[in-house]
Amino acid sequence: MSATLLQDAAVGVDAPASRRRRRFGVRRLLGLAVPLFLLGLWQLVVSAQVFSLRLVPAPATVAEQLYAFFFGDPGFLVLAGVVPFTGAGFGHLASSLQLAATGWLLAVAVGVVVGLAVGLSRLARELLDPVLNALRAVPIFAWLPLALVWFGIGAGAARALIFVGALWPVLVAVGDATARVPRSHIETARMLGTPQRWMWRRVYLPSALPEVVTGLRLSLTLAWTVVIVGELSGTTSGVGAMMNSARESGRTDQVIVGILVFATVGLLADVVLRLATRRWVRWAST
Amino acid sequence: MSATTTGGTLAAVGLVKDFGDLRVLDGVELVAGPGEVLSVLGPSGCGKSTLLRVLAGFETATSGQVLLDGEPVTGPSPRRGMVAQAGGLFPWLSLRDNLAFGPAAQRRSRTQVAQTVEDLLQATGLDGFADALPKQLSGGMRQRAAIAQVLANRPPVLLLDEPFAALDAQTRLRMHEWLLALHADRPTTTVLVTHDVEEALLLGDRVCLLSNRPAQAVDLLDVPFGTGRGRAVLADPAFVRLKASVLERVLAA
């Protein structure tokens, strides 16, 4: 009797999860509806010739340019008298990714260390909180002139800007999450006889991780956002640099290729980070 | 399953606890003997939880002492397991890992830990849920698991702070019977703090009555219903009379 009850209950634990997965699949497909609608609208605007093709290029032209950006002139495409990209896309992308990654990782390293100090030590919190809050209130791009003077036009300034932009979400999340580890968890662990040197890895870290991961995701998105500003301020390679020179030669189709690349890679980076950290935050998701 | 624990003797001697100017405990005296369940009953807000936190070692007494088998208590220890109304389990660990937490922290061998966890999963009727996260369990399951987590260290003393107060009445009654059965199997010395007279009388071998704040132990009652009691005793006229008279005294305290 009690055994069957338990088994039934065990099935009950699993069933909603699979139902949720199925519904999630349908939701995914629904998510494609809006982009498809926008694509149709775009084509409609182009076909109606409301704007000149120089201002609003056709979706097909952009698609061709997107292909050419990564793989060069395919030969079989009619690139309608425009000079195609020469297949430098991967190089530009790698350069942007490297910029974002180094700036972001630096921000994560500093953010975790300072965040821990602020979260775990009351003294550090009282010393640093006012300064950090003031600095945090400075718009990222207000740092641009200073970054240009200090690091010169190019990757150095861009990286400095990415660092500053990506720093705050990590720092705040780590500080907050470690300061707010529930006292009941700490007490339970001590009562169960946890040695002090275990507390960090077995209680503070797992308890803080979900909020920290949210901070990491936010900061990665910000890093990717700031890349474009850094690159627009004058780097020779990178997706932003490509867009800058496309703008100078009036190539809206190539500018839009840049936007598409930024959107796709930003989305992918977030998905990868989310999948990589999923098992740490599973318990906190509702 | 064999009885693996012999309970210790826990004594509070002249416990005084002040929070600033506020005196919460005013010379509380109590003794829980080996294997005994001592219910501590008192009006809401009288300092019952504070008393238990001092017994657990989470709070230091302003004066007086807590003694476990004659040794003074100086801080939280795996020898005094405490379970509160909620929040004992680590939400990021599976049930199995939660139960293994204490023994692993005590550096027990892998096989010993696994054996302890298996035993406790059986004893709590949660063997089908070893891999579930706490949030996937019902309230009653979670409280059984929280008690099991603490028992995994085989503490001589178990401290329960209103452990079933957040559960509905039927679940609570099931928990009471489960706890009685568990205690018959593992006679750990238990101090149960509660505001619920029925719970105090059903589970306790003796009941210690606390006064209003600042709390003092004002009376000590034997509960004469023997071991092996279950919910049937609730209908016993003697039990009903005792419950009514104790309730009067709590309300008058």
Side-chain angles (χ1 to χ4, degrees), chain B residues 34-192:
Chain B
E36 179 185 31
V37 178
L38 178 70
S39 295
V40 175
L41 187 61
S44 294
C46 75
K48 300 187 294 283
S49 289
T50 303
L51 171 61
L52 211 63
R53 288 180 60 79
V54 173
L55 294 180
F58 289 135
E59 306 278 355
T60 347
T62 307
S63 68
Q65 262 192 326
V66 178
L67 303 169
L68 173 53
D69 292 333
E71 295 286 317
V73 160
T74 53
S77 135
R79 286 169 52 74
R80 277 160 293 114
M82 174 160 151
V83 177
Q85 201 179 107
L89 301 171
F90 299 109
W92 55 86
L93 293 180
S94 69
L95 179 52
R96 185 193 308 281
D97 290 342
N98 262 298
L99 298 189
F101 195 100
Q106 300 293 296
R107 298 304 186 87
R108 301 265 182 274
S109 76
R110 239 169 234 276
T111 44
Q112 253 180 319
V113 173
Q115 187 57 50
T116 305
V117 170
E118 281 315 310
D119 284 353
L120 285 166
L121 284 171
Q122 294 283 338
T124 48
L126 293 171
D127 27 346
F129 297 89
D131 297 314
L133 289 171
K135 69 171 180 183
Q136 294 170 306
L137 304 175
S138 70
M141 289 169 159
R142 267 203 295 274
Q143 285 311 86
R144 285 202 304 260
I147 292 171
Q149 180 188 47
V150 157
L151 290 180
N153 274 332
R154 298 183 184 174
V157 173
L158 180 62
L159 304 168
L160 303 175
D161 184 7
E162 309 251 13
F164 309 129
L167 304 176
D168 65 83
Q170 283 150 40
T171 310
R172 190 156 62 234
L173 192 53
R174 285 213 188 89
M175 290 296 135
H176 291 159
E177 293 201 297
W178 171 76
L179 194 65
L180 285 170
L182 183 80
H183 188 262
D185 206 33
R186 302 162 182 250
T188 311
T189 305
T190 303
V191 179
L192 167 77

Side-chain angles (χ1 to χ4, degrees), chain A residues 26-50:
Chain A
V26 177
R27 288 257 169 86
R28 276 262 165 92
L29 290 176
L30 270 179
L32 286 175
V34 174
L36 285 175
F37 172 76
L38 288 177
L39 195 65
L41 198 67
W42 178 8
Q43 182 60 54
L44 212 65
V45 168
V46 170
S47 305
Q49 298 183 332
V50 183

